[in-house]
């Protein structure tokens, strides 16, 4: 182990519970040490260490040729990363906030995602960064962008909810020969309730596999990201009513682990989908249709969803709390569905 490993990486290696942010940093550090083709690009990630300090200390260890500060030009540096990937490198692009991935939409959907299909070869590129609301960031620093890319064949979308999964999935994403959009809910970065010991071996989690966060028999909740934690809180409250909830953490949205969802719904007979993204065009609609196609005969009630409302994220704290799905919203929907 290098003697100049930054504090937020050495903490995880000393057997202390890691934050979500520390898990991301450790994954990046380990992959850069393992494979000299891996390099980072993004705004202020070098000397400043990133807006959230994920890459603090990286430039001192790996140098400015592998930790590259970019102009504020998301479309430009994502395109440059795609070119580097074509030349055999494995770039990891940081969006300072995922809200600003939109200038790179063209290069990601029209060029990056179609590379393999056009015969241009694999394009190993990871685009990672913070998403999500609850931090009073307003409409430009709080969005969930997954569904803007969910319709695009050739991309993978990962959205973990725990430090161990964040580390393992990011390592898998960096090693993947397909382009991956990797979303990190900023509300989990340093959350006290989101800390855990990280496996010390080469810990990788396969892309495309959901996990059962809680076993149950009466009701399935399918969710991801921060909403996994809110769904688990709601499940604990519903348990006091005698309702045994099963919580499925998707972890990967594209490809979607349809088999895991179907198996759970066939067991419980009832499905509630929870996501922070807005309601119209959210992943709940896709999941509901797949259950309609694959498990309709097992349903004992309507498929329900708890989501954000169809609005830009408000600046006002009180309005943002109203806008976002809450534990109480999940409990209310769970009680209604259990009685149906």
């Amino acid at each position: 182990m290098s003697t100049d490993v930054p504090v937020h990486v050495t903490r995880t290696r000393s057997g202390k519970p890691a934050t979500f942010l520390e898990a991301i940093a450790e994954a990046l550090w380990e992959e850069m040490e393992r494979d000299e083709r891996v390099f980072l690009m993004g705004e202020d990630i070098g000397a400043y260490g990133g807006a959230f300090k994920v890459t603090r200390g990286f430039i001192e260890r790996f140098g400015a040729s592998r930790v590259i500060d970019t102009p504020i030009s998301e479309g430009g540096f994502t395109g440059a990363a795609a070119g580097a990937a074509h030349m055999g490198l494995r770039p990891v692009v940081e969006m300072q906030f995922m809200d600003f991935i939109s200038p790179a939409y063209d290069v990601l959907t029209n060029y990056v995602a179609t590379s393999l299909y056009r015969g241009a070869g694999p394009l190993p590129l990871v685009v990672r960064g913070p998403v999500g609301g609850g931090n009073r960031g307003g409409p430009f620093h709080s969005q969930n962008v997954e569904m803007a890319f969910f319709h695009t064949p050739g991309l993978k979308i990962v959205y973990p909810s725990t430090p161990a999964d964040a580390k393992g999935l990011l390592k898998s994403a960096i090693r993947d020969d397909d382009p991956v959009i990797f979303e990190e809910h900023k509300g989990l970065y340093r959350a006290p309730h989101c800390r855990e010991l990280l496996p010390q071996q080469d810990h990788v989690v396969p892309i495309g596999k959901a996990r059962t966060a809680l076993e149950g028999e009466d009701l399935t909740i399918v969710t991801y990201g921060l909403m996994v934690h809110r769904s688990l809180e709601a499940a604990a409250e519903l348990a006091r009513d005698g309702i045994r909830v099963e919580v499925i953490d998707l972890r990967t949205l594209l490809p979607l682990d349809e088999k895991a969802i179907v198996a759970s719904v066939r067991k419980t007979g009832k499905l509630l989908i929870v996501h922070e993204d807005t309601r119209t065009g959210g992943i709940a609609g896709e999941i509901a249709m797949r259950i309609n196609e694959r498990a309709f005969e097992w349903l004992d009630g309507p498929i329900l969803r708890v989501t954000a409302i169809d609005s830009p994220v408000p600046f006002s704290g009180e309005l943002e709390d109203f806008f976002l799905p809450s534990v109480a919203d999940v409990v209310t929907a769970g009680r209604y569905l259990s009685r149906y």
Side-chain angles (χ1 to χ4, degrees):
M1 184 175 70
S2 303
T3 57
D4 53 353
V5 178
V7 171
H8 59 311
V9 173
T10 57
R11 278 191 76 255
T12 69
R13 296 180 176 182
S14 64
K16 297 179 181 178
T19 65
F20 196 97
L21 184 147
E22 289 167 342
I24 294 292
E26 182 167 301
L28 292 171
W29 187 274
E30 289 182 2
E31 291 305 295
M32 292 185 76
E33 285 190 325
R34 189 188 68 86
D35 187 346
E36 64 182 10
R37 297 173 299 169
V38 178
F39 74 99
L40 312 181
M41 298 178 70
E43 298 159 8
D44 299 321
I45 67 169
Y48 188 65
F52 292 90
K53 303 304 180 185
V54 171
T55 54
R56 182 180 58 190
F58 276 57
I59 197 168
E60 289 80 7
R61 168 64 177 85
F62 299 105
S65 64
R66 294 184 68 196
V67 185
I68 301 173
D69 279 319
T70 66
I72 303 175
S73 179
E74 290 81 3
F77 62 72
T78 302
H86 276 312
M87 297 304 294
L89 300 178
R90 306 190 79 86
V92 180
V93 170
E94 177 181 300
M95 294 288 164
Q96 195 166 89
F97 290 86
M98 273 289 199
D99 309 56
F100 302 114
I101 198 173
S102 52
Y105 182 82
D106 176 44
V107 70
L108 286 169
T109 58
N110 283 328
Y111 185 80
V112 169
T114 62
S115 174
L116 190 62
Y117 297 82
R118 289 183 288 102
L123 207 154
L125 166 65
V126 177
V127 180
R128 54 157 293 271
V131 296
N135 295 285
R136 310 320 189 210
F140 300 134
H141 299 83
S142 307
Q143 296 177 57
N144 289 279
V145 302
E146 58 267 23
M147 294 310 290
F149 299 94
F150 185 79
H151 186 63
T152 304
L155 297 178
K156 294 179 178 178
I157 303 173
V158 177
Y159 199 146
S161 69
T162 69
D165 281 347
K167 178 183 177 180
L169 284 163
L170 183 53
K171 289 168 74 73
S172 291
I174 293 170
R175 299 178 192 186
D176 202 303
D177 285 334
D178 293 321
V180 180
I181 295 175
F182 194 93
E183 302 195 36
E184 307 156 11
H185 199 292
K186 67 180 76 69
L188 297 176
Y189 269 165
R190 297 181 177 89
H193 69 275
C194 189
R195 297 171 185 247
E196 62 183 345
L197 294 173
L198 298 181
Q200 293 303 299
Q201 68 273 21
D202 186 26
H203 174 61
V204 293
V205 175
I207 291 174
K209 297 293 184 182
R211 74 179 179 100
T212 302
L214 181 67
E215 295 271 1
E217 302 290 337
D218 301 323
L219 165 67
T220 296
I221 294 180
V222 172
T223 186
Y224 57 95
L226 179 66
M227 290 298 115
V228 172
H229 299 268
R230 293 197 177 166
S231 295
L232 289 171
E233 286 184 57
E237 187 167 337
L238 290 166
R240 290 191 281 272
D241 296 342
I243 304 166
R244 299 164 298 173
V245 176
E246 181 150 292
V247 178
I248 303 297
D249 178 3
L250 291 175
R251 303 197 292 193
T252 301
L253 307 186
L254 195 63
L256 191 63
D257 191 350
E258 182 178 296
K259 290 178 65 176
I261 303 168
V262 168
S264 180
V265 171
R266 287 182 176 183
K267 179 172 71 170
T268 68
K270 294 180 178 179
L271 174 60
L272 173 61
I273 306 160
V274 181
H275 59 70
E276 184 178 319
D277 193 19
T278 47
R279 190 173 186 86
T280 300
I283 200 172
E286 177 66 26
I287 293 171
M289 181 51 67
R290 294 197 190 194
I291 292 301
N292 186 58
E293 293 169 341
R294 295 282 308 278
F296 180 79
E297 295 88 349
W298 283 267
L299 288 174
D300 295 322
I303 299 173
L304 299 184
R305 55 185 169 173
V306 173
T307 72
I309 63 176
D310 289 332
S311 163
V313 185
F315 275 113
S316 161
E318 185 174 348
L319 289 178
E320 186 179 30
D321 290 342
F322 178 78
F323 162 85
L324 292 170
S326 67
V327 173
D329 295 331
V330 179
V331 170
T332 298
R335 285 175 177 158
Y336 173 83
L337 192 52
S338 69
R339 293 193 301 265
Y340 193 87

